[in-house]
Amino acid sequence: MSDSPDEIHVKRPVTSAAGIPGIQHAVKIAINEMGVVRGARTLLSMNQVDGFDCPGCAWPDSSPGKRSHAEFCENGAKAAAWEATRDRVGREFFSAHSVTDLLEQDDHLLEHHGRLTEPMYLAPGADHYAPISWHDAFALVAERLRSLPDPNRAAFYTSGRASNEAAFVYQLLARRYGTNNLPDCSNMCHESSGAALNETIGVGKGTVSLDDITDHAELIVVVGQNPGTNHPRMLSALESAKRRGARIVTANPLPEAGLVRFKNPQNVRGLVGRGTKLTDRYLPVRVNGDLAMFAGVNKALLAMEDAAPGTIVDRPFIETYCDGFEVVCDVWRALDWSTLESQSGLTRSQMEEFAGDVVGADSVVVSWAMGLTQHRNAVATIREIVNFLLLRGNIGRPGAGPSPIRGHSNVQGDRTMGVWEKMPDSFLDRLGREFGFDPPRAHGHDTVDTIRAMRDGTIDVFFALGGNFVAATPDSDVTKEAMKNCSLTVHVATKLNRSHLCHGTEALLLPCLSRSERDVQASGEQFLTVEDSMSMVHTTRGRLEPGSEHLRSEVAIVNGIGAALLGDVVDWSAMSDDYAVIRRHIENVIDGFEDFEERVRVPGGFTLPRGPRDSRTFDTATGKARFTVNRPDAIDVPEGHLVLQTLRSHDQFNTTVYGLDDRYRGVKGGRKVVFVNAADLADRGLSDGDIVDLISVWSDGERYARRFRAVAYPTPRGCAAAYFPEANVLVPLDSTALGSNTPTSKSVIIRIERSSATVS
Ligand SMILES: Nc1nc2c(c(=O)[nH]1)N[C@H]1C(S)=C(S)[C@@H](COP(=O)(O)OP(=O)(O)OC[C@H]3O[C@@H](n4cnc5c(=O)[nH]c(N)nc54)[C@H](O)[C@@H]3O)O[C@H]1N2
Ligand SMILES: Nc1nc2c(c(=O)[nH]1)N[C@H]1C(S)=C(S)[C@@H](COP(=O)(O)OP(=O)(O)OC[C@H]3O[C@@H](n4cnc5c(=O)[nH]c(N)nc54)[C@H](O)[C@@H]3O)O[C@H]1N2
Ligand SMILES: [Mo]
């Protein structure tokens, strides 16, 4: 697959999502990767009550009675096909390809080679991975960890695909060994949402359930999210909401196809008609203009209340359940419209009209994703959304509340299981009591701090349960060098990726079962559990034969290392033999999992308690829901520069690149594109189709990404967009969100220049 910008074709973006092209694309990929029979079998058991959970995003399933036979979307089909491929990467592959050679290949090709089949070891100085037995691999990890002078010289990364059971034993392994260094993909993802929600409503996740969207909300605000690509099944939910008369407001610097119109491939109307118009009001907010926008809407609501007291603000709710209201009102009253307009890129009347939609609705849900979380002021922006909801009592009643839409299929569950570098003492106390040891208390490193520590030589062993650390993290060149500083890097993975090639002195690749595969242990066939974006915990059971006889489950791998390393008070092998043993421990350590085994076996599973939703209880510092003062600001873009957001194309799952097209945005045949307003191109003497270099400007110097095709695109002046992970070289490691330390992947200051290496 070539990725030359000269081969990229661009046409007008489309204005409706899914429909027949979506089905055709999904079926084609499934057949290519899996063949007809395996393909059909895989897709039909996905998201069924007794099947496996889609390995793609964390969107919830409908309740069992409401599920269709094909409960998946085009991108879920791609994710499942990609891991169920018939291609294999075994010992012959590694003896034929050196690490140096493989580094020349792009991310698409590396994964496209197929599934890893057996444990591989890269010896110091070697350039080829060679087979190693599971026993020796576990012994090696154990020996290297034991010989570290301090357990905090190791870090244990998690990507959000790990099941609850795997995540629970993994954090136990790290803590029993002696460290809280548990960085995870969430640090780069919804950490800002967790920080803002924990502080203001006392729970770090959303409080909305699927039926709040489908059946109850009168207004749904979708901001900083592209569900047509990243959570396609959300479009069906939005369609249901529209059919019963709900309004949808979207705020996004890009007019994303899925939010404009949706052709539901699961009904006739979607296949032959024009589909359903989803968005009623589209607000082309500037990149990073959301804090100003929500502050403006709050100011407008308050002005209406001041003009007609008792008509807009839910006083009884605020008096009973909230604090901080009067202080924040004074701040809103004093805000100046012209500043809010220039920061948000919206006019005062656009914000006032949005406020009008709010007043016309008895219940409001706000849903968001990475468009809000990856900015310097992300935590403040999300706290301002909480203010917005609290103003009218839009929390703790049907059809209302905050709804951060999670990314990886079990990223939320992994957090619930304790994968976090700063779990509260209450959790550590119970974990220690359950297993009879004293867990470390000092907070560990998150993702950015782990990179810094590896760079600075204070971490020696890097262990990853899934993911693609060097490609997903910011400042790719810095991270790659940091990985090379380690003495040992270990990856539990399904497919080969760049992180396996940017290795420490020694490296191990430990191949695991994927979610769609049958998992048989000493006590028989096992199932696993996951938690979706709306706090539903349910089972997932693999159906396909394992990709190789040597694969082990993630649970078995973690427990194998636990036994080799610690072999002590924790009965690691009992937990591998029967995952119900793990679930009993989870029940004893984590609230909300009472009678876990019985309740999770009920079709559809159960919902974890969420105080704000269930009983308007807020476990915050004051025991109340908290209004907070968030002074509007927006990224300062120097003259002649643009603010670049890095985002996903339709043909990728994070660093996994399925293909080079981005159908909805009209891009075909390549990923090195930069979307810019036509007038901003013209100002620079550039036009659509020119090949440009992107140069990011940060206090420590400039970073380059060369030879991107400029695409004139309807985005506000001063804004630009390019795909992740290609643009990650431009994101400075030290540019992170206040209060969450999340890399600011959606606000990178850049200049663009005609590429000096342009070929016409
Ligand atoms: N098929 C597929 N599904 C996925 C993924 C995938 O890669 N592929 N990734 C998964 C993961 S881990 C995650 S976290 C989610 C990500 O889901 P999304 O957050 O939808 O992913 P992004 O592509 O990063 O899109 C960000 C959206 O925010 C908008 N945006 C950017 N900056 C701003 C801003 O300042 N303000 C506003 N209002 N909008 C802004 C962009 O234009 C874009 O529409 O998807 C999950 N699902
Ligand atoms: N510039 C920029 N950077 C970003 C983002 C952005 O929007 N812009 N988004 C950020 C976000 S939201 C996230 S969540 C992170 C994602 O960061 P990661 O979670 O680290 O990255 P992924 O690309 O999801 O990981 C893909 C790899 O996971 C492995 N894998 C797949 N399935 C399994 C499995 O079942 N088990 C195991 N053990 N391994 C498996 C495969 O080897 C595959 O290569 O990236 C972040 N990085
Ligand atoms: Mo994510």
Side-chain angles (χ1 to χ4, degrees):
M1 193 179 291
S2 145
D3 195 12
S4 158
D6 308 305
E7 288 172 27
I8 300 175
H9 298 284
V10 179
K11 46 181 199 183
R12 286 166 69 87
V14 302
T15 53
S16 71
I20 287 178
I23 300 182
Q24 284 170 333
H25 196 58
V27 169
K28 195 170 128 203
I29 291 194
I31 291 176
N32 276 351
E33 295 289 329
M34 305 184 277
V36 177
V37 176
R38 190 169 159 93
R41 225 177 131 204
T42 307
L43 297 186
L44 290 176
S45 75
M46 200 151 98
N47 294 333
Q48 296 304 316
V49 171
D50 202 25
F52 67 93
D53 184 56
C54 175
C57 76
W59 184 253
D61 302 320
S62 334
S63 54
K66 289 191 189 167
R67 279 184 214 177
S68 75
H69 288 297
E71 187 75 24
F72 59 88
C73 67
E74 173 191 346
N75 280 344
K78 287 184 206 164
W82 196 248
E83 68 174 37
T85 177
R86 289 170 297 187
D87 296 329
R88 296 288 174 266
V89 168
R91 55 175 72 189
E92 304 75 21
F93 177 90
F94 285 106
S95 75
H97 299 276
S98 68
V99 169
T100 311
D101 290 345
L102 291 169
L103 273 170
E104 297 297 312
Q105 301 188 358
D106 65 29
D107 292 320
H108 169 83
L109 189 56
L110 287 177
E111 286 206 31
H112 191 64
H113 290 304
R115 290 283 300 279
L116 298 163
T117 59
E118 61 181 317
M120 303 298 292
Y121 170 61
L122 188 72
D127 200 20
H128 286 263
Y129 272 99
I132 182 172
S133 69
W134 280 106
H135 175 271
D136 291 353
F138 292 160
L140 191 142
V141 177
E143 199 283 320
R144 300 300 185 266
L145 284 173
R146 256 198 307 268
S147 63
L148 293 183
D150 175 354
N152 292 317
R153 295 189 70 91
F156 295 84
Y157 176 71
T158 316
S159 167
R161 222 176 252 194
S163 62
N164 288 337
E165 289 76 1
F168 184 80
V169 292
Y170 188 61
Q171 61 82 33
L172 173 64
L173 171 71
R175 296 193 162 109
R176 178 72 193 102
Y177 169 63
T179 184
N180 281 313
N181 286 344
L182 282 155
D184 68 351
C185 68
S186 218
N187 297 144
M188 299 180 270
C189 186
H190 267 297
E191 195 70 58
S192 305
S193 308
L197 295 174
N198 258 323
E199 178 187 347
T200 53
I201 62 167
V203 49
K205 46 191 175 185
T207 68
V208 162
S209 288
L210 186 53
D211 65 353
D212 288 311
I213 291 181
T214 52
D215 299 357
H216 302 296
E218 292 184 14
L219 174 67
I220 301 163
V221 182
V222 183
V223 47
Q225 192 199 348
N226 178 22
T229 285
N230 298 312
H231 306 93
R233 287 185 300 142
M234 181 174 176
L235 299 187
S236 317
L238 293 177
E239 184 188 42
S240 304
K242 286 295 295 191
R243 304 223 137 255
R244 60 168 179 80
R247 254 180 106 66
I248 298 179
V249 171
T250 68
N252 198 311
L254 305 179
E256 303 285 23
L259 288 167
V260 180
R261 191 169 274 283
F262 172 51
K263 295 185 175 177
N264 191 338
Q266 293 181 351
N267 66 36
V268 175
R269 203 173 42 243
L271 293 181
V272 297
R274 293 189 59 228
T276 308
K277 176 173 174 285
L278 293 181
T279 294
D280 298 288
R281 184 183 306 287
Y282 167 60
L283 297 163
V285 66
R286 274 189 60 210
V287 167
N288 196 222
D290 306 272
L291 175 51
M293 176 183 76
F294 277 104
V297 175
N298 289 340
K299 178 182 173 69
L301 290 168
L302 187 64
M304 288 187 239
E305 171 73 10
D306 287 345
T311 57
I312 304 293
V313 166
D314 187 343
R315 298 257 171 204
F317 169 78
I318 293 176
E319 272 154 29
T320 316
Y321 298 106
C322 307
D323 62 18
F325 182 56
E326 294 310 326
V327 179
V328 79
C329 286
D330 292 340
V331 174
W332 285 330
R333 286 192 191 100
L335 292 176
D336 156 53
W337 277 111
S338 67
T339 311
L340 295 173
E341 287 184 325
S342 66
Q343 289 176 347
S344 65
L346 302 173
T347 61
R348 172 177 175 174
S349 56
Q350 281 174 310
M351 291 182 260
E352 287 176 340
E353 282 159 15
F354 179 6
D357 295 332
V358 177
V359 172
D362 277 342
S363 49
V364 182
V365 164
V366 183
S367 106
W368 71 88
M370 296 305 101
L372 293 195
T373 62
Q374 300 172 331
H375 299 281
R376 184 167 166 79
N377 59 5
V379 176
T381 303
I382 297 160
R383 293 194 320 189
E384 193 66 16
I385 291 179
V386 173
N387 286 344
F388 166 80
L389 291 166
L390 295 177
L391 254 183
R392 289 182 43 85
N394 275 313
I395 193 160
R397 56 185 165 81
S403 182
I405 304 293
R406 307 300 296 245
H408 271 295
S409 50
N410 197 40
V411 63
Q412 185 159 318
D414 292 349
R415 271 297 164 90
T416 306
M417 293 299 119
V419 171
W420 196 22
E421 72 282 356
K422 44 185 183 212
M423 283 303 278
D425 282 341
S426 52
F427 172 89
L428 299 174
D429 290 342
R430 284 173 73 172
L431 185 73
R433 224 174 300 136
E434 177 72 4
F435 292 97
F437 74 106
D438 193 14
R441 301 287 164 153
H443 289 174
H445 290 315
D446 63 11
T447 292
V448 165
D449 286 341
T450 295
I451 298 168
R452 291 182 178 136
M454 295 195 298
R455 177 194 63 193
D456 300 342
T458 57
I459 284 196
D460 302 306
V461 174
F462 175 82
F463 192 110
L465 187 64
N468 187 355
F469 195 77
V470 302
T473 51
D475 238 345
S476 320
D477 295 337
V478 175
T479 309
K480 283 178 199 164
E481 288 309 308
M483 287 279 266
K484 290 185 197 159
N485 275 347
C486 294
S487 55
L488 173 67
T489 48
V490 187
H491 287 92
V492 178
T494 48
K495 287 191 150 192
L496 185 63
N497 68 40
R498 194 154 307 280
S499 300
H500 312 155
L501 306 172
C502 301
H503 52 81
T505 312
E506 293 177 286
L508 279 167
L509 266 181
L510 306 178
C512 64
L513 290 175
S514 72
R515 192 177 278 182
S516 47
E517 289 165 341
R518 207 181 286 280
D519 182 351
V520 182
Q521 304 293 341
S523 68
E525 198 172 309
Q526 307 294 312
F527 65 85
L528 293 157
T529 64
V530 289
E531 175 186 342
D532 67 30
S533 209
M534 296 183 178
S535 302
M536 285 283 302
V537 180
H538 62 88
T539 60
T540 169
R541 191 189 284 272
R543 291 289 173 201
L544 302 177
E545 286 312 311
S548 142
E549 56 178 329
H550 305 296
L551 299 181
R552 296 217 177 158
S553 72
E554 293 181 327
V555 168
I557 294 170
V558 173
N559 284 327
I561 292 169
L565 174 64
L566 300 156
D568 60 356
V569 289
V570 178
D571 190 347
W572 301 97
S573 59
M575 294 195 288
S576 283
D577 290 349
D578 183 358
Y579 299 174
V581 174
I582 307 174
R583 288 188 284 273
R584 269 200 298 283
H585 289 304
I586 293 173
E587 175 174 339
N588 293 340
V589 174
I590 304 170
D591 282 337
F593 286 86
E594 298 75 23
D595 302 321
F596 188 10
E597 192 70 21
E598 297 74 56
R599 284 196 300 152
V600 85
R601 285 169 180 266
V602 174
F606 62 93
T607 308
L608 289 171
R610 288 163 292 171
R613 176 202 173 78
D614 304 337
S615 54
R616 289 190 158 174
T617 34
F618 300 96
D619 189 12
T620 61
T622 55
K624 299 227 170 189
R626 314 205 70 184
F627 279 94
T628 51
V629 171
N630 307 295
R631 299 203 184 272
D633 64 358
I635 187 164
D636 187 20
V637 185
E639 185 68 29
H641 290 67
L642 301 168
V643 52
L644 174 83
Q645 57 146 321
T646 58
L647 80 181
R648 294 155 171 81
S649 81
H650 195 62
D651 264 359
Q652 73 183 89
F653 193 96
N654 298 342
T655 68
T656 296
V657 176
Y658 305 119
L660 294 183
D661 302 343
D662 193 5
R663 196 171 75 236
Y664 295 156
R665 300 195 186 104
V667 176
K668 230 177 152 36
R671 294 177 46 84
K672 289 177 78 175
V673 293
V674 58
F675 301 95
V676 187
N677 185 297
D680 283 324
L681 287 177
D683 279 356
R684 291 160 177 77
L686 296 166
S687 52
D688 184 274
D690 283 348
I691 308 299
V692 297
D693 293 338
L694 316 185
I695 303 143
S696 93
V697 189
W698 181 247
S699 51
D700 64 356
E702 297 187 335
R703 291 164 170 77
Y704 292 81
R706 297 196 192 274
R707 293 187 52 73
F708 279 59
R709 184 197 189 281
V711 178
Y713 206 81
T715 188
R717 291 294 302 265
C719 301
Y723 299 131
F724 130 71
E726 286 78 357
N728 287 40
V729 280
L730 300 172
V731 188
L733 184 63
D734 290 334
S735 177
T736 59
L738 300 171
S740 68
N741 210 24
T742 294
T744 60
S745 313
K746 295 285 190 284
S747 30
V748 185
I749 303 284
I750 61 159
R751 316 194 284 279
I752 58 172
E753 289 174 0
R754 189 180 298 280
S755 179
S756 44
T758 301
V759 284
S760 61

